[in-house]
Amino acid sequence: MKILVCISHVPDTTSKINFTDNNTKFDSNGVQFIIGPYDDYALARAVELKEASGASVTVLNVGLGDTEPTLRKALAIGADDAVRVNAEPADSFFVAKQIAEHARSVGYDLILMGRESIDYNGGAVHGIVGELLGIPSVSPVMKLDIEGTKAKLAREIEGGKEYLEVNLPFVAGCQEPIAEWKIPNMRGIMSARTKPLKVVEPVAVDSGIKLRQFELPPPKGAVKMIPADNVQELVSLLKSEAKVL
Amino acid sequence: MNILVFVESADGKVKKNSLEAVAYAHAMGGNVTAIALGNVDKADLGSLGTYGAKKVLHAADAKLNQGIIQAYASVIAKAFQDENADVLVLADSSLGTPVAARIAAKLDASLASNVVALPDTTAGFVVKRSIFTGKAFARVELTKPKKVIGIKKNAAVVSQVGSPCAVTPYAVPLAETDFATTITSSEKATGEVLLPEANIVVSGGRGMKGPEHWGMLEELAKTLHAATGCSKPVSDMGWRPHHEHVGQTGVKVAPQLYIAVGISGAIQHLAGVNSSKCIVVINKDPEAPFFKAADYGIVGDAFDILPKLNEAIKAAR
Ligand SMILES: Cc1cc2nc3c(=O)[nH]c(=O)nc-3n(C[C@H](O)[C@H](O)[C@H](O)COP(=O)(O)OP(=O)(O)OC[C@H]3O[C@@H](n4cnc5c(N)ncnc54)[C@H](O)[C@@H]3O)c2cc1C
Ligand SMILES: Cc1cc2nc3c(=O)[nH]c(=O)nc-3n(C[C@H](O)[C@H](O)[C@H](O)COP(=O)(O)OP(=O)(O)OC[C@H]3O[C@@H](n4cnc5c(N)ncnc54)[C@H](O)[C@@H]3O)c2cc1C
């Protein structure tokens, strides 16, 4: 079985977000980049499937050269080889088109990604890839088991979950608790250095989105502290001041 | 401008977030058609006229009773073309967001999810969307002639602007290939307020010490008609079901009031609550980072404060 895992290279979840150039560019100064947390779940599940049944795991990122350490980390976690599509990820459609192009040329049985990126939060790439390849897409997937040519999935819905069955190949947007995040060990890190990382050029896509400007939310006002023995005051503030009761 | 709105339903009833989608489309101005799929109450559909729909298409085929992403995308994309629509509006959800992606790909449309306000059409078609999990916004221009917009909770105000409208059956040929996924069963909390839609959320963290203490939070939630939420470790440890986990990797909520009890306020938790109108934090540690993100705070023991707060709210109502 051939598994493709799509990896986004995103600011660490603790990053402070800032913009430069009159709020038109993301300020990556001092920002640590990580594998998208949802993509990390997808990768962990792929590596589990590999360990259980001998699947091969390829990781792919659409990004410029600075994303290679992130791909190497995915290799250290257990992927066999990596592909970087050498382009700035312009929008969901652009990224999906590159993934679909690569997937078509190889022919994967399973394409795993995160339910959404944590930079743009599109929640779209899996659906678009599914559509471009003409195969099912399911998201957000919290459980995935393969039985022969069939998969059994659980998908989170508002207030519960839904169990599904689907034949391979398909695309899944993953989230917890599909697997536990894996931390690379020393052997993984060593072997990642020599695992193949192929760089391919992008296909042309006309993007449907143009950034005008970024914006930060207004700063939060100061917190009003209320003594623990006076919850009545809290209730009256919630009623008369915040007007939320 | 012709606007199509995908109206989601649960248990045969139109979902609240879909009313916001209809209201959003109406506020954009233009000709609003709603489409609903599967088994949905007719009167409920007709009442969409009250919120701004001119007409409602109902694809009632029983095969559409379940929300199959591929099939829904095909039916809605077909309706988009039949209605000569320019824009599709829907509410972001576990079904709406993935369906929107496939539709945008089918129609070669510009796509924006997590939209928080009405489009600005003074020059081009510009929407404001939430990015970096609520930590920032981006104004993006949707440049293609066809557009698909997924809205976040509170992007529009639901108000009565008209009267009930006609519901027209919408018959479409369904392709077998669109039903490659089958939903075998589902589990759903019933009778409770759903977390993503709730106006008030009462949420507990590791400071609640164990699942046996959740009764206190549930009591308060009941008094407030609130949904219950939790931090990630709480769902990781199985104290609460996963769908109650709030934050960066869980549900993003946008209630009027978020009450956090025994949650430290890690940045990943805050990412899921920063769209709340008002935040109350109860924590025994005065240095807990959550206080910096709160509107009101109480330093104290949750087990002491929760019952008192519950009584005080009951008394004030
Ligand atoms: C206005 C704007 C401008 C941007 N400009 C830039 C920029 O200049 N440079 C830049 O690097 N990014 C930029 N981004 C981010 C970039 O556009 C997104 O990473 C990309 O659009 C995919 O995001 P998504 O939210 O649609 O993905 P989603 O649909 O939310 O992602 C789902 C899954 O798809 C996979 N995936 C997502 N992105 C990639 C990827 N790049 N490679 C492989 N798999 C992926 C992951 O598994 C992810 O979990 C920008 C974002 C915004 C808001
Ligand atoms: C990539 C990534 C993604 C993550 N995503 C999420 C996410 O989506 N959601 C999320 O919640 N976390 C997430 N986390 C985890 C996050 O970093 C924190 O570890 C987590 O939020 C802490 O949960 P907590 O506040 O319940 O527990 P703790 O940090 O242990 O805090 C417990 C709090 O309870 C207080 N307390 C103890 N006893 C009492 C008492 N009797 N009365 C009142 N207060 C009391 C303590 O003072 C303390 O502040 C993520 C982490 C990573 C790395």
Side-chain angles (χ1 to χ4, degrees), chain B residues 267-278:
Chain B
I267 194 159
Q268 296 95 351
H269 186 83
L270 298 183
V273 307
N274 50 22
S275 303
S276 310
K277 184 171 174 227
C278 176

Side-chain angles (χ1 to χ4, degrees), chain B residues 153-154 198-201 253-258 272-273 275-278:
Chain B
K153 186 169 180 280
N154 300 335
N199 279 326
I200 303 181
V201 176
V253 297
Q256 293 286 305
L257 175 59
Y258 187 81
V273 307
S275 303
S276 310
K277 184 171 174 227
C278 176

Side-chain angles (χ1 to χ4, degrees), chain B:
Chain B
M1 184 166 40
N2 291 330
I3 309 171
L4 183 69
V5 181
F6 165 46
V7 169
E8 233 187 286
S9 61
D11 308 317
K13 292 279 175 193
V14 168
K15 283 176 86 171
K16 206 170 92 188
N17 57 5
S18 290
L19 296 184
E20 285 185 4
V22 173
Y24 183 97
H26 175 76
M28 278 173 68
N31 192 18
V32 180
T33 300
I35 180 164
L37 283 67
N39 173 34
V40 196
D41 184 73
K42 281 270 151 47
D44 230 28
L45 288 179
S47 73
L48 293 172
T50 332
Y51 304 104
K54 287 255 164 58
K55 73 175 176 202
V56 179
L57 304 176
H58 186 197
D61 195 310
K63 286 184 85 176
L64 298 170
N65 284 352
Q66 290 181 318
I68 305 281
I69 292 168
Q70 254 179 305
Y72 269 44
S74 292
V75 171
I76 299 163
K78 177 77 169 49
F80 189 99
Q81 278 157 337
D82 288 351
E83 294 296 313
N84 270 316
D86 305 290
V87 182
L88 171 70
V89 176
L90 52 76
D92 277 317
S93 72
S94 66
L95 182 63
T97 309
V99 165
R102 290 196 79 120
I103 295 174
K106 275 182 201 290
L107 299 171
D108 188 25
S110 287
L111 170 68
S113 58
N114 280 312
V115 170
V116 296
L118 285 173
D120 175 353
T121 52
T122 43
F125 190 105
V126 179
V127 292
K128 180 175 173 179
R129 74 189 303 291
S130 162
I131 58 171
F132 292 108
T133 323
K135 288 190 210 167
F137 299 97
R139 288 181 192 279
V140 293
E141 182 179 351
L142 306 185
T143 52
K144 291 188 177 168
K146 295 174 188 160
K147 296 159 180 72
V148 175
I149 298 177
I151 61 165
K152 244 183 115 142
K153 186 169 180 280
N154 300 335
V157 179
V158 177
S159 54
Q160 305 212 344
V161 292
S163 47
C165 65
V167 179
T168 319
Y170 182 65
V172 269
L174 300 172
E176 208 44 55
T177 48
D178 279 342
F179 292 88
T181 40
T182 43
I183 299 172
T184 49
S185 64
S186 61
E187 286 166 15
K188 217 164 148 189
T190 49
E192 296 167 32
V193 185
L194 289 181
L195 182 59
E197 294 172 7
N199 279 326
I200 303 181
V201 176
V202 178
S203 203
R206 203 141 56 174
M208 289 301 294
K209 304 284 193 285
E212 66 277 15
H213 298 131
W214 241 260
M216 265 182 214
L217 281 177
E218 281 167 332
E219 281 297 314
L220 179 60
K222 211 169 122 197
T223 308
L224 290 167
H225 302 291
T228 49
C230 65
S231 67
K232 176 170 153 68
V234 165
S235 76
D236 284 351
M237 291 183 292
W239 294 1
R240 299 299 297 172
H242 187 268
H243 62 256
E244 290 193 2
H245 152 198
V246 172
Q248 176 94 53
T249 48
V251 180
K252 283 86 186 165
V253 297
Q256 293 286 305
L257 175 59
Y258 187 81
I259 303 179
V261 188
I263 304 178
S264 58
I267 194 159
Q268 296 95 351
H269 186 83
L270 298 183
V273 307
N274 50 22
S275 303
S276 310
K277 184 171 174 227
C278 176
I279 296 177
V280 172
V281 169
I282 300 170
N283 196 303
K284 70 171 189 193
D285 174 10
E287 301 298 320
F290 217 147
F291 285 120
K292 289 208 178 69
D295 297 283
Y296 303 102
I298 298 185
V299 176
D301 186 347
F303 303 107
D304 167 42
I305 292 165
L306 276 174
K308 285 191 196 151
L309 182 59
N310 191 19
E311 288 314 312
I313 290 169
K314 275 187 187 160
R317 285 205 149 187

Side-chain angles (χ1 to χ4, degrees), chain A residues 15 119-121 131 135 137 155-156 158 161 163 165 176 208 210 212-213 215 224 226 239 241, chain B residues 94 102 110 128-129 132-133 135 137 139 141 182 184-185 187 232 242 245 295-297 316:
Chain A
S15 309
D119 52 5
Y120 194 59
N121 306 107
E131 193 61 41
I135 58 176
S137 57
R155 189 174 86 87
E156 183 156 291
E158 286 73 16
K161 52 186 143 179
Y163 297 93
E165 287 183 9
E176 65 182 19
K210 218 157 70 213
R212 286 286 185 83
Q213 202 160 37
E215 200 178 300
K224 212 174 248 183
I226 292 140
K239 273 187 110 161
E241 191 177 72
Chain B
S94 66
R102 290 196 79 120
S110 287
K128 180 175 173 179
R129 74 189 303 291
F132 292 108
T133 323
K135 288 190 210 167
F137 299 97
R139 288 181 192 279
E141 182 179 351
T182 43
T184 49
S185 64
E187 286 166 15
K232 176 170 153 68
H242 187 268
H245 152 198
D295 297 283
Y296 303 102

